[in-house]
Amino acid sequence: MKVGVLALQGDFREHINSLIACGVDVVPVRRIQELNGVDALVIPGGESTTIAHLAQTFEIFDEIRNRIASGMPAYGSCAGMILLADHILDAAKDQKTFGGLDIVVRRNAFGRQVDSFEEDLEFKDGFPGLLKAVFIRAPWVEKVGEGIEVLATVKSHPVAVRSKTLFATSFHPELTGDHRIHQYFVDQVARPALKKVQ
Ligand code: GLN
């Protein structure tokens, strides 16, 4: 399995390092040829409007949207969660997303005073023990559609969700040196989804 990391803006290098630590084949994705060569995609944190804008400039926006719609496994962290959401609240004017996850996400939901914070989370699926989660101007999930599983919450707001092929977290696992979230995506989301397609 080859995993791409969308490398237009944001902390894509840290995601590449986390995925390498999980033992998978990783490539940065900026061009359509690179996108065509990957089985799964990670969308990093950064600025969701900038990433969407650059994806249009690099002429890969529609193809990413189509691949996700046809079942390519993807993981989005923070801005990446926003980009995977079908609906956004407090969006910038005309803000577009790749979509695919039937969720409503509120941008910058945790407010100004707590722009950034850390919290030890229980992650419901996959591994025992607490997970140190870093939130940076993070969104939360305000509503989930059918078929969406909530995996972690902060103050009763979902901050980790998944469908059959898509996974999203409000927080940044690539910054903690704990690779369990990336391993979860590889082993519990991407591999099973790809097996079904073949
Ligand atoms: N607030 C940013 C946005 O809306 C996301 C922040 C992040 O990815 N750390 O895109």
Side-chain angles (χ1 to χ4, degrees):
M1 173 172 57
K2 196 180 260 193
V3 180
V5 177
L6 190 60
L8 298 171
Q9 190 264 338
D11 65 346
F12 53 86
R13 291 175 197 84
E14 288 80 356
H15 280 281
I16 291 173
N17 291 336
S18 299
L19 289 162
I20 289 171
C22 293
V24 291
D25 200 2
V26 193
V27 286
V29 168
R30 293 186 187 87
R31 307 273 173 195
I32 199 96
Q33 294 87 334
E34 292 155 351
L35 181 64
N36 290 341
V38 301
D39 304 299
L41 188 67
V42 171
I43 306 170
E47 179 55 46
S48 53
T49 51
T50 307
I51 295 173
H53 182 72
L54 287 169
Q56 283 170 285
T57 307
F58 280 67
E59 297 181 346
I60 53 172
F61 187 94
D62 291 340
E63 190 52 25
I64 292 175
R65 195 214 283 269
N66 294 341
R67 287 283 305 276
I68 288 171
S70 32
M72 172 179 67
Y75 163 47
S77 160
C78 203
M81 171 189 258
I82 296 167
L83 285 158
L84 287 177
D86 282 344
H87 309 281
I88 354 174
L89 299 172
D90 294 336
K93 193 170 174 279
D94 300 327
Q95 182 169 357
K96 285 173 91 183
T97 69
F98 303 126
L101 263 181
D102 183 9
I103 56 175
V104 179
V105 159
R106 186 176 293 280
R107 289 181 72 206
N108 304 318
F110 289 98
R112 277 178 179 263
Q113 301 93 316
V114 279
D115 273 347
S116 304
F117 63 99
E118 287 180 14
E119 179 129 346
D120 290 328
L121 294 183
E122 240 172 79
F123 189 78
K124 282 187 198 136
D125 193 4
F127 46 79
L130 293 176
L131 179 82
K132 185 169 126 190
V134 178
F135 294 81
I136 304 167
R137 289 185 300 113
W140 69 41
V141 177
E142 207 143 303
K143 213 168 149 194
V144 299
E146 246 174 72
I148 303 293
E149 195 183 342
V150 175
L151 300 171
T153 56
V154 170
K155 296 185 187 85
S156 77
H157 295 289
V159 292
V161 293
R162 67 164 294 176
S163 66
K164 282 206 177 76
T165 57
L166 302 177
F167 173 47
T169 63
S170 304
F171 52 88
H172 289 264
E174 72 284 6
L175 300 179
T176 58
D178 178 344
H179 306 302
R180 288 179 296 174
I181 285 286
H182 291 84
Q183 199 75 60
Y184 174 83
F185 172 62
V186 169
D187 292 339
Q188 310 292 330
V189 183
R191 281 196 209 284
L194 290 167
K195 244 182 229 156
K196 259 175 226 156
V197 174
Q198 280 157 11

